[in-house]
Each structure stands twice: as structure tokens, then as C-alpha cells.
């Protein structure tokens, strides 16, 4: 029986972000990849304050020549913790202090949770949520409007780590920023993919490609190059390439075959102390003494990314972002 050769209709997606250098790279891909239909963007405090995130998000969409995709302001701080930004990585303005012009557009006149509920329930086909930030907005959405899960295809979130953290030795920044929110998201009852640091840190665009993007006359393409060239505090200056970061999670939605995942129990460590915010991924082949002596609870099963086809995602990103004429044509 011949397989259906008709092209798959674009996947409806919503990004929840803390723009952010790499959130900006993710937005550029989402608006330019023909297989994605970016329905809305919601903003949360993380890399910088939430108003800075809104400003940066609107600026990136305008630079990309994106249509008037609704952008809404969300939580200004995590559920429990205070705001602990990452300006040392993303610059004071959260966008590498590139001096980009202020956006002409203003955000939607509704808050992020309201926009998320509206756009998810209004979508004719189930939506894929792509959180690339602390999960505060997603947790508030799930607690306020749990009915949205009936029209969510999957959550593909950038966060967590199987092995090593960045905010702490064991915790990744987005989860560390709001661990309770991530724990709520993992128990949403919809399929979830964890795009963690283990793959996040590997997808690097080579230096020559970065230089080519920076030399482009197309504003969105040039912006991608400038963002990729931004040097974080801990960077191998010998390698002039640039990490895709959050954009890798968008690649995973556009091309799931490029990611290798295993469905594993994941627990977020909430206890105060050195492990708070750690995503404890259980890779054991069988239960241990803890389970045998009744000492553990059922953990949510998550499709955890364990490997990534780096060249495939770099090529996907460059092809989409350098698309002639900028925006997707589908
Ligand atoms: O740990 C990396 C994550 O934290 C990325 O999403 C980055 O943008 C920051 O939000
Ligand atoms: Ca981010």
C-alpha cells in the first residue's frame, strides 16, 4: 500500500519563551520553517525581566518580517522563587546588547495564560507547545484551564538535564528557575519531550556559516548570525561557531526523526538544597531496593532526548533561516 505522499500540513505551534539570545534563534526558525505554523508567543521572566522578554520577542518577530503573531506578557516571577536572571549570559537587555530598535508593535491586551487558552482551544488541529523558558506560564495555564490538554498534541520543552546542569552542578536553568512549575508541567497528562542540556549544548553552527549569516542583507538572516556570534561568558574563542540552544527544541518539532528519545521516569527535585531543580531521570533497567521496600512514588514518563543528529539540525536551521525572501511561503 503506497504511503500517503501528500505533504504534511504545517504543525500548529505556540512558543513560551524568555527571549533571550537562543529563544530569539528559536523564534526565527519557527516563523521561517514551512512545516511550522506559529500561532502565538507567550513571555515569562527568566533570562531577563518579563517586560524585557516581551520587548525582545516583538523585536525579533519584526526583524524576521513575521506576520502579526499575537504576543502576550506572562508571569513576572516563578511560583515560589524570586527572579534570578541570566543577564551574564544574554546581556543586560537579554539580546546580547546588540542595540536592536525598539519594537513598533505592542503585546496583546490579554495575559499569557488567557492567550494560551484561547489559541490552543481555537486551533483546528492539536497544538504543539514549545516552552523554551521557566515553565511558570505553562503551570498557571494547566492549573487554571486544565481543559486545554484536550487540544495539545505534545509539549516539547527545552529544560532539564540527564547528566550535568548549568545553573547548578545538577540543575538546568529553566527548571532551576521554577522547579514546581516544571513538576506541574510533567504531570499534565499529555505526551512530553524533554530537550535537555545533553543535546542542547551539542547543536553548534560552524563558524563559516555564522559569518555567512552575519554578512546577509536580509535582516532576519543577519540577526540570526549576530545572535549566533554572541559570545557567552564561557565560550571557546577558538571555535567561532554558535550554539542553536532553544532553537534545537523547535528543530525537534519540525523534524522529530533527528532526535533520539527514550521514555523514562523523570522526577524534579523540589527539596531545598544542592539538588533543587535537578531532573532526576531514571535510566535503570529494573526497580531497585528503594522500590522493593516501597520507598518511592510513580513518576511521570517523559520522552527524554538522549542523542541528536547535529548536522541534520544545523542544516535544517540554516535552510529555513536563509530561505529566499525570508518568511515561509506555505
Ligand atoms: O539552560 C538554558 C536555557 O535557559 C535556555 O532556554 C536559555 O534561553 C535559558 O532560558
Ligand atoms: Ca530560553
Amino acid at each position: 500500500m503506497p504511503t500517503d505522499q501528500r505533504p504534511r500540513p504545517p504543525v500548529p505551534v505556540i512558543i513560551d519563551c524568555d527571549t533571550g539570545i537562543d529563544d530569539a534563534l528559536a523564534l526565527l526558525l519557527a516563523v521561517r520553517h514551512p512545516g511550522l505554523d506559529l500561532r502565538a508567543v507567550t513571555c515569562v521572566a527568566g533570562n531577563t525581566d518579563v517586560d524585557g522578554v516581551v520587548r525582545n520577542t516583538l523585536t525579533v518577530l519584526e526583524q524576521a518580517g513575521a506576520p502579526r503573531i499575537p504576543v502576550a506578557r506572562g508571569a513576572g516571577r516563578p511560583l515560589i522563587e524570586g527572579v534570578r536572571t541570566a543577564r551574564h549570559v544574554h546581556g543586560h537587555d537579554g539580546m546580547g546588547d546588540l542595540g536592536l530598535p525598539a519594537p513598533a508593535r505592542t503585546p496583546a491586551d490579554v495575559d499569557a495564560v488567557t492567550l494560551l487558552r484561547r489559541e490552543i482551544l481555537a486551533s483546528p488541529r492539536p497544538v504543539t507547545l514549545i516552552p523554551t523558558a521557566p515553565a511558570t506560564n505553562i503551570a498557571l495555564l494547566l492549573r487554571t484551564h486544565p481543559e486545554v490538554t484536550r487540544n495539545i498534541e505534545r509539549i516539547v520543552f527545552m529544560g532539564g538535564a540527564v547528566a550535568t546542569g548549568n545553573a547548578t552542578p545538577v540543575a538546568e536553568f529553566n527548571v532551576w528557575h521554577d522547579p514546581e512549575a516544571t513538576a506541574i508541567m510533567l504531570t499534565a497528562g499529555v505526551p512530553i519531550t524533554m530537550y535537555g542540556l545533553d543535546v542542547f549544548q551539542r547543536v553548534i553552527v560552524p563558524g563559516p556559516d555564522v559569518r555567512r549569516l552575519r554578512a546577509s542583507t536580509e535582516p532576519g538572516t543577519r540577526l540570526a548570525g549576530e545572535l549566533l556570534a554572541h559570545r557567552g561568558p564561557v565560550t571557546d574563542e577558538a571555535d567561532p561557531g554558535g550554539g542553536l540552544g532553544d532553537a534545537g527544541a523547535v528543530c525537534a518539532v519540525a523534524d522529530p526523526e533527528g532526535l533520539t528519545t527514550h521514555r523514562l521516569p523523570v522526577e524534579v527535585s523540589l527539596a531545598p538544597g544542592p539538588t533543587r531543580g535537578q531532573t532526576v531521570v531514571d535510566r535503570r533497567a529494573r526497580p531497585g531496593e528503594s522500590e522493593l521496600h516501597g520507598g518511592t512514588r510513580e513518576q511521570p514518563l517523559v520522552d527524554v532526548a538522549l542523542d541528536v543528529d547535529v548536522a541534520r539540525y544545523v542544516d535544517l536551521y540554516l535552510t529555513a533561516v536563509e530561505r529566499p525572501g525570508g518568511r515561509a511561503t506555505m
Side-chain angles (χ1 to χ4, degrees), residues 9-314:
V11 177
V13 301
I14 295 177
I15 291 179
D16 184 74
C17 59
D18 60 337
T19 313
I21 297 278
D22 56 331
D23 304 74
L25 292 170
L27 291 168
L28 288 169
L29 176 60
V31 297
R32 294 198 164 183
H33 192 284
L36 301 175
D37 174 15
L38 183 59
R39 313 282 296 182
V41 182
T42 49
C43 303
V44 67
N47 286 323
T48 190
D49 62 279
V50 67
D51 291 313
V53 173
V54 170
R55 182 192 65 243
N56 294 340
T57 299
L58 289 167
T59 293
V60 171
L61 293 175
E62 286 180 7
Q63 292 286 317
R68 298 178 68 83
I69 296 162
V71 173
R73 182 185 188 276
R77 60 166 289 183
L79 300 180
I80 304 292
E81 302 284 355
V83 174
R84 297 171 293 179
T85 64
R87 289 196 175 101
H88 61 294
V89 174
H90 295 265
H92 182 73
D93 68 358
M95 282 285 282
D97 299 317
L98 294 175
L100 293 169
R105 215 159 44 105
T106 56
D109 57 3
V110 295
D111 65 83
V113 170
T114 303
L115 182 65
L116 281 162
R117 178 186 183 276
R118 185 181 79 190
E119 293 300 321
I120 290 169
L121 295 183
S123 177
R125 288 181 292 120
V127 169
T128 296
L129 280 186
I130 312 177
T132 62
T136 317
N137 288 341
I138 307 302
L140 293 170
L141 169 71
L142 293 169
R143 286 291 190 261
T144 310
H145 305 292
E147 70 276 13
V148 297
T149 57
R150 71 169 183 256
N151 210 32
I152 293 175
E153 175 76 21
R154 177 173 285 268
I155 297 175
V156 179
F157 78 100
M158 191 281 128
V162 178
T164 307
N166 54 5
T168 79
V170 294
E172 177 279 325
F173 176 82
N174 289 334
V175 179
W176 170 80
H177 202 88
D178 199 340
E180 282 76 14
T182 304
I184 290 170
M185 179 172 69
L186 295 188
T187 54
V190 300
I192 295 196
T193 300
M194 181 174 115
Y195 187 88
L197 288 179
D198 319 89
V199 291
F200 169 97
Q201 290 173 331
R202 290 178 47 200
V203 188
I204 307 287
V205 178
D209 294 307
V210 174
R211 284 193 291 276
R212 187 181 66 255
L213 295 179
R214 292 183 77 179
S216 173
T217 57
E218 201 282 317
T221 306
R222 187 166 62 251
L223 175 59
E226 294 301 330
L227 294 165
L228 285 165
H230 177 71
R231 310 318 304 159
V234 181
T235 305
D236 170 7
E237 286 306 332
D239 169 15
L244 281 187
D246 288 333
V250 179
C251 291
V253 176
D255 180 16
E257 300 304 308
L259 201 65
T260 301
T261 63
H262 284 205
R263 185 157 296 180
L264 299 167
V266 178
E267 178 175 7
V268 180
S269 175
L270 302 177
T275 66
R276 178 160 168 81
Q278 179 179 11
T279 44
V280 182
V281 178
D282 188 350
R283 300 184 68 182
R284 292 175 298 169
R286 66 188 61 79
E289 286 69 16
S290 172
E291 287 83 2
L292 299 178
H293 291 282
T296 186
R297 307 168 300 287
E298 196 63 32
Q299 297 306 334
L301 291 176
V302 176
D303 295 318
V304 178
L306 298 179
D307 196 6
V308 59
D309 186 334
V310 172
R312 183 169 172 152
Y313 278 4
V314 168

